[in-house]
Amino acid sequence: MKQVTIKDIARAAGVSYSTVSRSLSGSSEISESTRTRILQICKQMNYTANAVARSMVMKNTKLLGMIVTDISNPFMSELAYYIDSQARNRGYNILLCNSLRSLEQERVLFELMISRKVDGVILFPAESESFHALETLLPRIPTIFVGENLRDVPESYVTVDNYRGAYMGVEYLYRLGHRRILYFGKRKGSTTHQLRGEGYHAACRDLGLTPRYMNNTFASTSIKHGYQLAQQLFSQPLDVTAVFATTDTNALGLMQAAEEKGIRIPEDLSLLGFDNIRYSGLPRIGLTTIEQPKKLLASMAVDSLLEKIENELTGYTHRVLTPSLVERTTCLKLEK
Amino acid sequence: MKQVTIKDIARAAGVSYSTVSRSLSGSSEISESTRTRILQICKQMNYTANAVARSMVMKNTKLLGMIVTDISNPFMSELAYYIDSQARNRGYNILLCNSLRSLEQERVLFELMISRKVDGVILFPAESESFHALETLLPRIPTIFVGENLRDVPESYVTVDNYRGAYMGVEYLYRLGHRRILYFGKRKGSTTHQLRGEGYHAACRDLGLTPRYMNNTFASTSIKHGYQLAQQLFSQPLDVTAVFATTDTNALGLMQAAEEKGIRIPEDLSLLGFDNIRYSGLPRIGLTTIEQPKKLLASMAVDSLLEKIENELTGYTHRVLTPSLVERTTCLKLEK
DNA sequence: TTGAAAGCGCTAACAA
DNA sequence: TTGTTAGCGCTTTCAA
């Protein structure tokens, strides 16, 4: 598996290795004849440029670090797909890591990215504290936060307008005739979820409804935790007609608990989610939900980051996209 | 963002840079006193080793290329999660790419991996032809194929015993009393699916059943294609009591079509899948299926690959794991 | 125990 | 248009 280098090509072609380099880089002043001749020899000798060596001198790697909390989460993996394709179009590849929602892991990984000299990092923050935990490291490498509102934090991010999304959700349920709407799974430690809660609250206020919460005491909004939380909810009589779940995964957990309790959705209880993960569109599930535009989120993340990298931009940008409602079958219109 | 290098540290410490290098690499002969002194200075000056430069001289990158067909596919993303965690434990990181099931893309990506000097590649083949398409490139970099039987191909792979899994599935349905079992979604161009088909066929033969096929004419076994295929199936009277779908995603598509047609699962029709993707365990879905042990598959893939890399092993290994049945709610026991 | 120096494969400034 | 040379940041002989 001996590596064919530029020198071997130079020797074979009887030229200096800068000539070979020039032929390969396409640009530069060089005669068309030697150029094609050398390219031919490269092909014959099975030469493949060494990207590591090039990185060394070019001072870039054409690599983007992507730190997700968990790639097996459908929201992340869908975003990851779009990010990869967008990045590749622009000549970059993705170095993938999972932080497991641990601030400590996240920090280790971020340092790894610095060490590996990636050109930039796309970060799905482990928590709302991620910014502060990484603050000293951030100036060392262009970074964009994705999917989490960071409020007034001085670093770039792209996210959905969670406040607005929640507000829209309540309005929708209101229009269907619902007046007693529970906000299910409100979770601490995430600005995203805080904003969703605030949007819900504001809509209730504006529409004259009484806000009702069922807080999530668990660390995450997984299906399992939604299920456990819903078991608590269903252990006493229901006094609401609709539930607005803070995430689709939480909603799915609730659905499962409802099934077991014989509570029919939407006949007995309407259910609205948030995120529109792929699961939600599945047959038999058909979860009505507030959608995060994942493809757009991904391409904005890549664009913003590359803008920073390629134009050596300092400062930061905040991009906030408007979510939309995806109507499926879990919300019932109440007859008067 | 000026980069602090080993030279800066050396200058600050008043030693040569080989001394600094030795302090960092941990090993080597060096006095404990200077070692700690230098480490201190590194910390003070915020030094982070340049992994690219190290790769240059060490002739390894501690990077594993991972080429998947589509990371948003739940089977892949789950496997990717385990692979990352396993690789990281062993000091490697993952370079992620999506081939989109295109042989041509796959080849481009494989060459990219060579160029980037990853230490090895984990490949989820685009097709059964992947091996031949990459054959000339394979000797240049340690590679392991994952999730696809390649039969007698002289390259390492780890996969599940698809033949056996399908056989087990038929046996299970037989035990429940089913005698007319349709194999749904048989697809060309993939050894995996061919083997599943053969397992089904063999089981039918051994149990005295008549094999019945509904072939997949589409390129993939997605939910959507399963749905379309099932629409065809349901356009004429059903003469089977159970359907064995070639993948869970296909089964999910069929489920949707059944729902629309008013065909109840499992009351009117039993349904068995293959893969056990996460979707399948969801409430309301509860798909009974043949499970691929994803965590095990992932760790075997990493282990086999690292063995090849670190021991500079030549030759190849084939590892075939036995799948297992996961019983949920889509298969009905027929009363005599 | 430490330092000097070569070299990994490449690009680019400068000369010819 | 081409060749010569320095150097990217690091590890590792070899010598002191």
Side-chain angles (χ1 to χ4, degrees):
Chain A
M1 272 202 256
K2 177 63 184 66
Q3 175 60 31
V4 178
T5 78
I6 226 173
K7 282 189 189 168
D8 301 314
I9 304 294
R11 201 174 310 122
V15 297
S16 73
Y17 41 100
S18 43
T19 304
V20 179
S21 172
R22 276 189 278 255
S23 311
L24 291 165
S25 63
S27 62
S28 282
E29 49 286 293
I30 192 155
S31 81
E32 200 48 49
S33 59
T34 47
R35 171 19 152 349
T36 44
R37 189 169 63 88
I38 286 174
L39 255 34
Q40 196 115 48
I41 296 176
C42 286
K43 192 146 291 178
Q44 270 170 36
M45 297 183 65
N46 244 313
Y47 170 78
T48 311
N50 183 327
V52 175
R54 173 176 290 157
S55 290
M56 191 85 233
V57 7
M58 300 294 268
K59 300 200 154 307
N60 68 36
T61 52
K62 292 290 178 183
L63 231 40
L64 261 26
M66 181 164 75
I67 304 178
V68 301
T69 59
D70 177 0
I71 191 66
S72 75
N73 173 313
F75 178 70
M76 306 275 166
S77 70
E78 215 178 316
L79 233 42
Y81 172 82
Y82 291 124
I83 286 174
D84 174 54
S85 92
Q86 189 72 4
R88 189 127 53 84
N89 279 342
R90 309 272 237 108
Y92 289 79
N93 289 110
I94 298 294
L95 190 59
L96 174 75
C97 290
N98 294 280
S99 72
L100 311 178
R101 281 198 194 289
S102 144
L103 277 182
E104 197 195 341
Q105 267 303 307
E106 185 175 61
R107 196 187 160 82
V108 168
L109 293 174
F110 202 90
E111 282 175 341
L112 185 90
M113 294 302 177
I114 294 175
S115 170
R116 287 210 179 264
K117 299 281 167 259
V118 301
D119 294 341
V121 358
I122 296 173
L123 183 75
F124 293 74
E127 295 189 14
S128 55
E129 277 314 295
S130 289
F131 174 78
H132 291 111
L134 297 175
E135 198 161 8
T136 56
L137 263 21
L138 288 171
R140 301 181 61 181
I141 191 165
T143 301
I144 185 149
F145 286 73
V146 180
E148 172 96 357
N149 291 75
L150 294 168
R151 292 197 141 137
D152 304 320
V153 134
E155 183 54 273
S156 294
Y157 65 73
V158 4
T159 177
V160 106
D161 189 337
N162 287 292
Y163 179 95
R164 179 108 181 263
Y167 197 104
M168 287 165 52
V170 177
E171 283 185 315
Y172 170 71
L173 291 169
Y174 186 90
R175 254 181 284 124
L176 292 183
H178 296 277
R179 295 297 177 264
R180 282 170 293 130
I181 301 169
L182 176 73
Y183 193 82
F184 178 82
K186 186 156 182 271
R187 182 163 78 82
K188 289 204 191 285
S190 153
T191 315
T192 296
H193 288 96
Q194 207 167 317
L195 286 166
R196 289 183 188 175
E198 288 174 18
Y200 164 79
H201 194 93
C204 285
R205 186 198 54 215
D206 296 351
L207 296 168
L209 308 181
T210 312
R212 299 150 198 262
Y213 296 95
M214 169 115 194
N215 292 326
N216 184 350
T217 47
F218 303 106
S220 85
T221 59
S222 62
I223 295 182
K224 197 174 80 188
H225 290 149
Y227 172 73
Q228 292 172 351
L229 201 62
Q231 283 184 316
Q232 291 173 35
L233 175 66
F234 295 147
S235 67
Q236 46 210 48
L238 263 183
D239 68 334
V240 298
T241 60
V243 168
F244 190 176
T246 197
T247 63
D248 279 7
T249 40
N250 252 194
L252 259 18
L254 182 141
M255 218 177 220
Q256 184 169 17
E259 184 107 319
E260 291 176 6
K261 272 278 182 183
I263 298 170
R264 294 165 308 160
I265 292 172
E267 294 81 358
D268 303 328
L269 185 66
S270 286
L271 180 60
L272 179 62
F274 203 122
D275 284 346
N276 195 23
I277 59 175
R278 281 239 244 270
Y279 296 146
S280 304
L282 250 33
R284 298 194 178 191
I285 300 244
L287 180 66
T288 295
T289 188
I290 307 293
E291 138 135 316
Q292 299 210 45
K294 286 162 272 308
K295 188 169 181 178
L296 199 55
L297 230 33
S299 68
M300 294 231 150
V302 173
D303 286 352
S304 291
L305 185 58
L306 291 190
E307 201 180 341
K308 251 180 147 175
I309 294 169
E310 294 178 349
N311 306 327
E312 293 177 15
L313 240 65
T314 52
Y316 53 89
T317 49
H318 294 172
R319 305 233 209 175
V320 180
L321 308 179
T322 302
S324 56
L325 179 78
V326 178
E327 275 194 88
R328 286 194 276 247
T329 60
T330 56
C331 291
L332 192 71
K333 187 172 176 61
L334 296 186
E335 303 306 333
K336 189 55 231 309
Chain B
M1 266 202 260
K2 176 62 184 65
Q3 175 60 33
V4 179
T5 77
I6 227 172
K7 281 189 189 168
D8 302 311
I9 304 293
R11 201 172 312 118
V15 296
S16 72
Y17 42 99
S18 39
T19 304
V20 178
S21 170
R22 277 189 276 252
S23 311
L24 292 165
S25 61
S27 61
S28 281
E29 50 285 294
I30 193 154
S31 81
E32 199 47 49
S33 57
T34 47
R35 169 23 144 356
T36 46
R37 189 169 65 88
I38 286 172
L39 255 34
Q40 197 117 46
I41 296 176
C42 286
K43 191 145 292 176
Q44 271 170 35
M45 297 183 65
N46 246 314
Y47 170 79
T48 312
N50 183 325
V52 177
R54 175 176 290 158
S55 290
M56 190 85 233
V57 6
M58 301 292 271
K59 302 200 153 305
N60 67 38
T61 53
K62 292 289 176 182
L63 230 41
L64 262 25
M66 181 164 76
I67 304 176
V68 300
T69 58
D70 175 0
I71 191 66
S72 75
N73 172 314
F75 178 71
M76 305 275 166
S77 70
E78 215 178 318
L79 233 42
Y81 172 82
Y82 291 124
I83 286 174
D84 174 53
S85 92
Q86 189 73 6
R88 191 128 52 82
N89 279 342
R90 309 273 236 110
Y92 289 79
N93 289 111
I94 299 294
L95 191 60
L96 174 75
C97 289
N98 294 280
S99 72
L100 311 178
R101 282 200 193 287
S102 145
L103 276 183
E104 197 196 340
Q105 267 301 308
E106 185 174 64
R107 197 188 160 82
V108 169
L109 292 175
F110 201 90
E111 281 174 343
L112 184 90
M113 294 302 177
I114 294 174
S115 171
R116 286 209 178 263
K117 298 284 169 259
V118 301
D119 295 341
V121 358
I122 297 173
L123 183 76
F124 293 73
E127 294 190 12
S128 55
E129 277 314 295
S130 289
F131 173 80
H132 291 111
L134 298 175
E135 198 161 7
T136 56
L137 261 21
L138 288 171
R140 300 182 60 183
I141 190 166
T143 300
I144 184 147
F145 286 73
V146 180
E148 172 96 359
N149 291 76
L150 295 168
R151 290 192 142 137
D152 303 320
V153 134
E155 182 54 272
S156 293
Y157 65 74
V158 4
T159 178
V160 105
D161 189 336
N162 287 291
Y163 179 96
R164 178 106 180 263
Y167 197 104
M168 286 165 51
V170 177
E171 282 185 315
Y172 170 70
L173 291 168
Y174 186 90
R175 255 180 284 125
L176 292 182
H178 296 277
R179 295 295 177 267
R180 282 169 294 130
I181 302 169
L182 176 72
Y183 194 82
F184 177 82
K186 186 157 184 268
R187 181 164 79 81
K188 288 204 192 285
S190 153
T191 316
T192 295
H193 288 96
Q194 206 168 317
L195 285 167
R196 289 182 188 176
E198 288 175 18
Y200 164 81
H201 193 94
C204 286
R205 184 198 55 214
D206 296 352
L207 296 167
L209 309 180
T210 313
R212 299 150 199 260
Y213 296 94
M214 168 114 197
N215 292 328
N216 185 350
T217 46
F218 303 105
S220 84
T221 59
S222 63
I223 294 181
K224 197 174 82 189
H225 290 152
Y227 173 73
Q228 292 171 350
L229 202 62
Q231 282 183 316
Q232 290 174 35
L233 175 66
F234 296 146
S235 66
Q236 45 212 45
L238 263 184
D239 68 335
V240 298
T241 60
V243 168
F244 190 176
T246 197
T247 62
D248 280 6
T249 41
N250 251 195
L252 258 19
L254 180 141
M255 223 177 217
Q256 183 168 18
E259 185 108 317
E260 291 175 9
K261 272 280 181 182
I263 297 171
R264 293 166 307 161
I265 292 171
E267 294 80 357
D268 302 328
L269 185 66
S270 286
L271 179 60
L272 178 64
F274 204 123
D275 283 346
N276 194 24
I277 60 175
R278 283 240 247 268
Y279 296 147
S280 304
L282 250 33
R284 296 194 181 190
I285 301 244
L287 179 66
T288 296
T289 188
I290 306 294
E291 137 135 316
Q292 299 211 44
K294 286 163 273 306
K295 188 167 181 181
L296 198 56
L297 229 33
S299 68
M300 292 228 152
V302 173
D303 287 351
S304 291
L305 185 56
L306 292 190
E307 200 181 345
K308 249 179 149 175
I309 294 169
E310 295 179 348
N311 307 326
E312 293 176 17
L313 240 67
T314 53
Y316 53 89
T317 48
H318 293 171
R319 303 233 210 176
V320 180
L321 306 180
T322 303
S324 55
L325 179 79
V326 177
E327 274 194 90
R328 286 193 277 247
T329 60
T330 55
C331 291
L332 191 71
K333 187 172 177 64
L334 295 186
E335 304 303 331
K336 191 53 232 306

